[in-house]
Amino acid sequence: MKLLKVEKIFCLLPIIVLAASCALINNQEIKHAKASASTHFKIEGSFLYREKISFPKNSVAIITLNDISRADSEAIIIAKQEIDLDGKSVPVRFELTTDKDNILHNMRYAVRAEIRNQNRSLLWTTDTTHWIDTQNTHQVLPPITLKQIAPLNSHGNISNLIGTKWYITAINNKQVIDSSKVHLQFAVDGKVFGFTGCNNFSGKFTVDHEHLNFSRLILTRRACIPKLSDQEKDYIQVLETTSYYRANKDDQLTLMTPDGEGILAVRSLSDFSE
């Protein structure tokens, strides 16, 4: 009888060990899943527009989570999702995920959405700020309504200017200083942002046919080395006196003043590859 009990115990040992191993593995998987979830910052939501039309063929939606803490400089993209819109209809859902360490509680963040056609021209975009709660690592935003791109006034169409970063290649026929990353960016609400190679700036712009004017330009006050300071002076002076512009199909932008001075710029390809 004792021998029989011992045999039964030995027969049950593999089952007990297997059950314990499975329980341990399952517990570790649960802990790992919880740890993984706690390290991410997730935002879910959807976007739509009011026009009763379908998405153009080969169009894409680009949704970004942006750090907009600094009012005098362009937003910094924290997370990004591109959605192929062929076969889809509004509303369209999106999901943005980033490491929670990328979200600082003392900074300001917002979600931006836009729709571009196959040539990457801007068709719809957000025109209001959609804030996120930095304390909530998983949140669902209310539906985002996009605004169709339209002229600033009865004569001005800005669809060929906005929604991209224009890198300056020459100012008054002089090449910009290497690696100074001088650029310009137009927003749908008539605001302009840029970088002189030393300081950030912001202001307003208006368009009327081929006429383009900048106003209320405000710069940060960082000290520059002499070469960058001279370049900044020329750049801002041209912007403040710009009267005309031309944007061609080769993604080149020319700004011109009545005195014949000007700025040459190219569209940033990185806007669509990041």
Side-chain angles (χ1 to χ4, degrees), residues 240-271:
E240 289 179 334
T241 55
T242 290
S243 295
Y244 308 94
Y245 86 100
R246 181 173 62 249
N248 62 31
K249 295 181 180 180
D250 295 325
D251 292 329
Q252 294 179 334
L253 173 66
T254 304
L255 307 179
M256 296 160 286
T257 73
D259 297 330
E261 296 179 331
I263 290 173
L264 296 180
V266 294
R267 190 187 301 271
S268 170
L269 297 179
S270 64
D271 290 336

mmCIF file of all heavy atoms in Angstrom, residues 240-271:
data_model
loop_
_atom_site.group_PDB
_atom_site.id
_atom_site.type_symbol
_atom_site.label_atom_id
_atom_site.label_comp_id
_atom_site.label_asym_id
_atom_site.label_seq_id
_atom_site.Cartn_x
_atom_site.Cartn_y
_atom_site.Cartn_z
ATOM 1 N N GLU A 240 10.019 91.537 -44.617
ATOM 2 C CA GLU A 240 9.221 92.712 -44.256
ATOM 3 C C GLU A 240 8.849 93.567 -45.470
ATOM 4 O O GLU A 240 7.882 94.333 -45.410
ATOM 5 C CB GLU A 240 9.979 93.554 -43.237
ATOM 6 C CG GLU A 240 10.073 92.900 -41.857
ATOM 7 C CD GLU A 240 10.844 93.734 -40.858
ATOM 8 O OE1 GLU A 240 11.710 94.538 -41.291
ATOM 9 O OE2 GLU A 240 10.599 93.580 -39.646
ATOM 10 N N THR A 241 9.591 93.426 -46.552
ATOM 11 C CA THR A 241 9.319 94.236 -47.749
ATOM 12 C C THR A 241 8.844 93.394 -48.934
ATOM 13 O O THR A 241 8.722 93.906 -50.046
ATOM 14 C CB THR A 241 10.578 95.027 -48.160
ATOM 15 O OG1 THR A 241 11.680 94.119 -48.334
ATOM 16 C CG2 THR A 241 10.937 96.061 -47.105
ATOM 17 N N THR A 242 8.583 92.117 -48.708
ATOM 18 C CA THR A 242 8.103 91.240 -49.781
ATOM 19 C C THR A 242 6.746 91.720 -50.296
ATOM 20 O O THR A 242 5.861 92.079 -49.526
ATOM 21 C CB THR A 242 7.972 89.788 -49.283
ATOM 22 O OG1 THR A 242 9.278 89.252 -49.056
ATOM 23 C CG2 THR A 242 7.254 88.911 -50.302
ATOM 24 N N SER A 243 6.603 91.724 -51.631
ATOM 25 C CA SER A 243 5.338 92.129 -52.246
ATOM 26 C C SER A 243 4.760 91.055 -53.166
ATOM 27 O O SER A 243 3.551 91.010 -53.376
ATOM 28 C CB SER A 243 5.530 93.415 -53.064
ATOM 29 O OG SER A 243 5.864 94.502 -52.221
ATOM 30 N N TYR A 244 5.634 90.203 -53.702
ATOM 31 C CA TYR A 244 5.184 89.212 -54.669
ATOM 32 C C TYR A 244 5.754 87.830 -54.309
ATOM 33 O O TYR A 244 6.771 87.719 -53.635
ATOM 34 C CB TYR A 244 5.659 89.576 -56.085
ATOM 35 C CG TYR A 244 5.315 90.984 -56.507
ATOM 36 C CD1 TYR A 244 6.229 92.019 -56.324
ATOM 37 C CD2 TYR A 244 4.091 91.275 -57.091
ATOM 38 C CE1 TYR A 244 5.923 93.317 -56.706
ATOM 39 C CE2 TYR A 244 3.773 92.569 -57.472
ATOM 40 C CZ TYR A 244 4.696 93.578 -57.285
ATOM 41 O OH TYR A 244 4.387 94.854 -57.660
ATOM 42 N N TYR A 245 5.056 86.825 -54.815
ATOM 43 C CA TYR A 245 5.588 85.469 -54.640
ATOM 44 C C TYR A 245 5.247 84.627 -55.864
ATOM 45 O O TYR A 245 4.312 84.934 -56.618
ATOM 46 C CB TYR A 245 5.031 84.815 -53.375
ATOM 47 C CG TYR A 245 3.693 84.108 -53.572
ATOM 48 C CD1 TYR A 245 3.636 82.737 -53.726
ATOM 49 C CD2 TYR A 245 2.504 84.843 -53.590
ATOM 50 C CE1 TYR A 245 2.414 82.087 -53.900
ATOM 51 C CE2 TYR A 245 1.293 84.198 -53.748
ATOM 52 C CZ TYR A 245 1.249 82.826 -53.913
ATOM 53 O OH TYR A 245 0.053 82.198 -54.093
ATOM 54 N N ARG A 246 6.023 83.557 -56.034
ATOM 55 C CA ARG A 246 5.751 82.596 -57.097
ATOM 56 C C ARG A 246 6.117 81.209 -56.590
ATOM 57 O O ARG A 246 7.225 80.989 -56.098
ATOM 58 C CB ARG A 246 6.553 82.922 -58.356
ATOM 59 C CG ARG A 246 6.280 81.960 -59.514
ATOM 60 C CD ARG A 246 6.965 82.415 -60.806
ATOM 61 N NE ARG A 246 8.413 82.450 -60.657
ATOM 62 C CZ ARG A 246 9.145 83.563 -60.643
ATOM 63 N NH1 ARG A 246 8.547 84.742 -60.735
ATOM 64 N NH2 ARG A 246 10.449 83.509 -60.516
ATOM 65 N N ALA A 247 5.181 80.273 -56.667
ATOM 66 C CA ALA A 247 5.429 78.882 -56.278
ATOM 67 C C ALA A 247 5.173 78.020 -57.502
ATOM 68 O O ALA A 247 4.055 78.009 -58.031
ATOM 69 C CB ALA A 247 4.522 78.470 -55.126
ATOM 70 N N ASN A 248 6.200 77.309 -57.978
ATOM 71 C CA ASN A 248 6.031 76.525 -59.197
ATOM 72 C C ASN A 248 5.863 75.038 -58.904
ATOM 73 O O ASN A 248 5.912 74.601 -57.753
ATOM 74 C CB ASN A 248 7.203 76.755 -60.163
ATOM 75 C CG ASN A 248 8.542 76.323 -59.570
ATOM 76 O OD1 ASN A 248 8.610 75.398 -58.765
ATOM 77 N ND2 ASN A 248 9.608 76.987 -59.981
ATOM 78 N N LYS A 249 5.669 74.254 -59.951
ATOM 79 C CA LYS A 249 5.412 72.828 -59.810
ATOM 80 C C LYS A 249 6.648 72.047 -59.387
ATOM 81 O O LYS A 249 6.555 70.871 -59.066
ATOM 82 C CB LYS A 249 4.869 72.274 -61.127
ATOM 83 C CG LYS A 249 3.507 72.845 -61.506
ATOM 84 C CD LYS A 249 3.008 72.246 -62.796
ATOM 85 C CE LYS A 249 1.642 72.817 -63.172
ATOM 86 N NZ LYS A 249 1.127 72.248 -64.442
ATOM 87 N N ASP A 250 7.810 72.666 -59.425
ATOM 88 C CA ASP A 250 9.046 71.993 -59.018
ATOM 89 C C ASP A 250 9.324 72.178 -57.536
ATOM 90 O O ASP A 250 10.453 72.000 -57.081
ATOM 91 C CB ASP A 250 10.235 72.540 -59.830
ATOM 92 C CG ASP A 250 10.102 72.217 -61.307
ATOM 93 O OD1 ASP A 250 9.583 71.126 -61.623
ATOM 94 O OD2 ASP A 250 10.510 73.052 -62.132
ATOM 95 N N ASP A 251 8.286 72.564 -56.777
ATOM 96 C CA ASP A 251 8.399 72.748 -55.334
ATOM 97 C C ASP A 251 9.398 73.837 -54.968
ATOM 98 O O ASP A 251 10.132 73.721 -53.988
ATOM 99 C CB ASP A 251 8.785 71.429 -54.639
ATOM 100 C CG ASP A 251 7.673 70.398 -54.716
ATOM 101 O OD1 ASP A 251 6.497 70.819 -54.739
ATOM 102 O OD2 ASP A 251 7.975 69.208 -54.752
ATOM 103 N N GLN A 252 9.424 74.896 -55.767
ATOM 104 C CA GLN A 252 10.287 76.039 -55.495
ATOM 105 C C GLN A 252 9.426 77.269 -55.219
ATOM 106 O O GLN A 252 8.411 77.490 -55.875
ATOM 107 C CB GLN A 252 11.229 76.305 -56.674
ATOM 108 C CG GLN A 252 12.243 75.192 -56.914
ATOM 109 C CD GLN A 252 13.142 75.495 -58.099
ATOM 110 O OE1 GLN A 252 12.758 76.232 -59.004
ATOM 111 N NE2 GLN A 252 14.333 74.930 -58.091
ATOM 112 N N LEU A 253 9.875 78.067 -54.258
ATOM 113 C CA LEU A 253 9.157 79.279 -53.878
ATOM 114 C C LEU A 253 10.098 80.473 -54.024
ATOM 115 O O LEU A 253 11.249 80.426 -53.581
ATOM 116 C CB LEU A 253 8.683 79.173 -52.426
ATOM 117 C CG LEU A 253 8.056 80.431 -51.805
ATOM 118 C CD1 LEU A 253 6.745 80.781 -52.497
ATOM 119 C CD2 LEU A 253 7.844 80.237 -50.302
ATOM 120 N N THR A 254 9.593 81.539 -54.648
ATOM 121 C CA THR A 254 10.363 82.772 -54.796
ATOM 122 C C THR A 254 9.582 83.917 -54.161
ATOM 123 O O THR A 254 8.399 84.113 -54.466
ATOM 124 C CB THR A 254 10.623 83.106 -56.280
ATOM 125 O OG1 THR A 254 11.269 82.001 -56.912
ATOM 126 C CG2 THR A 254 11.502 84.344 -56.414
ATOM 127 N N LEU A 255 10.227 84.651 -53.265
ATOM 128 C CA LEU A 255 9.651 85.852 -52.667
ATOM 129 C C LEU A 255 10.403 87.053 -53.207
ATOM 130 O O LEU A 255 11.645 87.046 -53.238
ATOM 131 C CB LEU A 255 9.772 85.800 -51.138
ATOM 132 C CG LEU A 255 9.228 84.563 -50.440
ATOM 133 C CD1 LEU A 255 9.437 84.665 -48.936
ATOM 134 C CD2 LEU A 255 7.752 84.365 -50.761
ATOM 135 N N MET A 256 9.682 88.106 -53.604
ATOM 136 C CA MET A 256 10.323 89.253 -54.246
ATOM 137 C C MET A 256 9.851 90.563 -53.638
ATOM 138 O O MET A 256 8.686 90.694 -53.250
ATOM 139 C CB MET A 256 10.023 89.247 -55.748
ATOM 140 C CG MET A 256 10.599 88.044 -56.496
ATOM 141 S SD MET A 256 9.794 87.751 -58.091
ATOM 142 C CE MET A 256 8.223 87.058 -57.557
ATOM 143 N N THR A 257 10.749 91.524 -53.584
ATOM 144 C CA THR A 257 10.434 92.865 -53.105
ATOM 145 C C THR A 257 10.347 93.812 -54.301
ATOM 146 O O THR A 257 10.838 93.489 -55.395
ATOM 147 C CB THR A 257 11.513 93.381 -52.143
ATOM 148 O OG1 THR A 257 12.694 93.711 -52.891
ATOM 149 C CG2 THR A 257 11.862 92.335 -51.090
ATOM 150 N N PRO A 258 9.738 95.002 -54.137
ATOM 151 C CA PRO A 258 9.674 95.966 -55.243
ATOM 152 C C PRO A 258 11.052 96.411 -55.714
ATOM 153 O O PRO A 258 11.210 96.849 -56.866
ATOM 154 C CB PRO A 258 8.900 97.143 -54.631
ATOM 155 C CG PRO A 258 8.101 96.541 -53.529
ATOM 156 C CD PRO A 258 8.966 95.455 -52.969
ATOM 157 N N ASP A 259 12.078 96.314 -54.861
ATOM 158 C CA ASP A 259 13.426 96.736 -55.222
ATOM 159 C C ASP A 259 14.224 95.644 -55.930
ATOM 160 O O ASP A 259 15.411 95.835 -56.220
ATOM 161 C CB ASP A 259 14.197 97.176 -53.973
ATOM 162 C CG ASP A 259 13.562 98.393 -53.321
ATOM 163 O OD1 ASP A 259 12.951 99.198 -54.058
ATOM 164 O OD2 ASP A 259 13.667 98.537 -52.086
ATOM 165 N N GLY A 260 13.594 94.506 -56.186
ATOM 166 C CA GLY A 260 14.283 93.439 -56.894
ATOM 167 C C GLY A 260 15.017 92.464 -56.001
ATOM 168 O O GLY A 260 15.661 91.532 -56.509
ATOM 169 N N GLU A 261 14.971 92.673 -54.688
ATOM 170 C CA GLU A 261 15.594 91.708 -53.794
ATOM 171 C C GLU A 261 14.674 90.497 -53.666
ATOM 172 O O GLU A 261 13.489 90.562 -54.010
ATOM 173 C CB GLU A 261 15.846 92.337 -52.421
ATOM 174 C CG GLU A 261 16.834 93.484 -52.462
ATOM 175 C CD GLU A 261 17.056 94.101 -51.087
ATOM 176 O OE1 GLU A 261 16.113 94.052 -50.271
ATOM 177 O OE2 GLU A 261 18.149 94.621 -50.834
ATOM 178 N N GLY A 262 15.224 89.407 -53.181
ATOM 179 C CA GLY A 262 14.371 88.230 -53.114
ATOM 180 C C GLY A 262 14.937 87.080 -52.311
ATOM 181 O O GLY A 262 16.089 87.099 -51.856
ATOM 182 N N ILE A 263 14.092 86.083 -52.145
ATOM 183 C CA ILE A 263 14.423 84.860 -51.405
ATOM 184 C C ILE A 263 14.013 83.664 -52.260
ATOM 185 O O ILE A 263 12.922 83.653 -52.837
ATOM 186 C CB ILE A 263 13.679 84.807 -50.055
ATOM 187 C CG1 ILE A 263 14.239 85.856 -49.095
ATOM 188 C CG2 ILE A 263 13.754 83.415 -49.432
ATOM 189 C CD1 ILE A 263 13.439 85.983 -47.803
ATOM 190 N N LEU A 264 14.898 82.689 -52.336
ATOM 191 C CA LEU A 264 14.585 81.435 -53.010
ATOM 192 C C LEU A 264 14.469 80.340 -51.962
ATOM 193 O O LEU A 264 15.269 80.278 -51.026
ATOM 194 C CB LEU A 264 15.685 81.069 -54.015
ATOM 195 C CG LEU A 264 15.890 82.023 -55.194
ATOM 196 C CD1 LEU A 264 17.015 81.515 -56.091
ATOM 197 C CD2 LEU A 264 14.597 82.179 -55.995
ATOM 198 N N ALA A 265 13.454 79.476 -52.114
ATOM 199 C CA ALA A 265 13.225 78.403 -51.141
ATOM 200 C C ALA A 265 12.757 77.152 -51.859
ATOM 201 O O ALA A 265 12.235 77.209 -52.980
ATOM 202 C CB ALA A 265 12.196 78.833 -50.103
ATOM 203 N N VAL A 266 12.959 76.007 -51.206
ATOM 204 C CA VAL A 266 12.488 74.729 -51.744
ATOM 205 C C VAL A 266 11.638 74.036 -50.692
ATOM 206 O O VAL A 266 11.878 74.183 -49.486
ATOM 207 C CB VAL A 266 13.660 73.812 -52.160
ATOM 208 C CG1 VAL A 266 14.415 74.412 -53.329
ATOM 209 C CG2 VAL A 266 14.597 73.543 -50.995
ATOM 210 N N ARG A 267 10.675 73.267 -51.145
ATOM 211 C CA ARG A 267 9.802 72.539 -50.239
ATOM 212 C C ARG A 267 10.573 71.422 -49.551
ATOM 213 O O ARG A 267 11.379 70.741 -50.174
ATOM 214 C CB ARG A 267 8.632 71.951 -51.012
ATOM 215 C CG ARG A 267 7.537 71.374 -50.139
ATOM 216 C CD ARG A 267 6.493 70.648 -50.986
ATOM 217 N NE ARG A 267 5.887 71.522 -51.968
ATOM 218 C CZ ARG A 267 4.799 72.256 -51.727
ATOM 219 N NH1 ARG A 267 4.245 72.248 -50.543
ATOM 220 N NH2 ARG A 267 4.298 73.014 -52.689
ATOM 221 N N SER A 268 10.337 71.241 -48.266
ATOM 222 C CA SER A 268 11.010 70.211 -47.496
ATOM 223 C C SER A 268 10.396 68.858 -47.789
ATOM 224 O O SER A 268 9.221 68.632 -47.532
ATOM 225 C CB SER A 268 10.918 70.479 -45.994
ATOM 226 O OG SER A 268 11.364 69.376 -45.266
ATOM 227 N N LEU A 269 11.198 67.919 -48.335
ATOM 228 C CA LEU A 269 10.707 66.577 -48.607
ATOM 229 C C LEU A 269 10.514 65.797 -47.316
ATOM 230 O O LEU A 269 9.747 64.843 -47.262
ATOM 231 C CB LEU A 269 11.690 65.833 -49.515
ATOM 232 C CG LEU A 269 11.885 66.460 -50.910
ATOM 233 C CD1 LEU A 269 12.891 65.620 -51.676
ATOM 234 C CD2 LEU A 269 10.575 66.521 -51.651
ATOM 235 N N SER A 270 11.188 66.186 -46.245
ATOM 236 C CA SER A 270 11.095 65.463 -44.975
ATOM 237 C C SER A 270 9.717 65.562 -44.355
ATOM 238 O O SER A 270 9.343 64.762 -43.514
ATOM 239 C CB SER A 270 12.131 65.991 -43.977
ATOM 240 O OG SER A 270 11.880 67.339 -43.654
ATOM 241 N N ASP A 271 8.908 66.542 -44.811
ATOM 242 C CA ASP A 271 7.550 66.671 -44.284
ATOM 243 C C ASP A 271 6.736 65.410 -44.535
ATOM 244 O O ASP A 271 5.793 65.107 -43.829
ATOM 245 C CB ASP A 271 6.823 67.849 -44.944
ATOM 246 C CG ASP A 271 7.387 69.177 -44.492
ATOM 247 O OD1 ASP A 271 7.973 69.220 -43.417
ATOM 248 O OD2 ASP A 271 7.227 70.162 -45.223
#
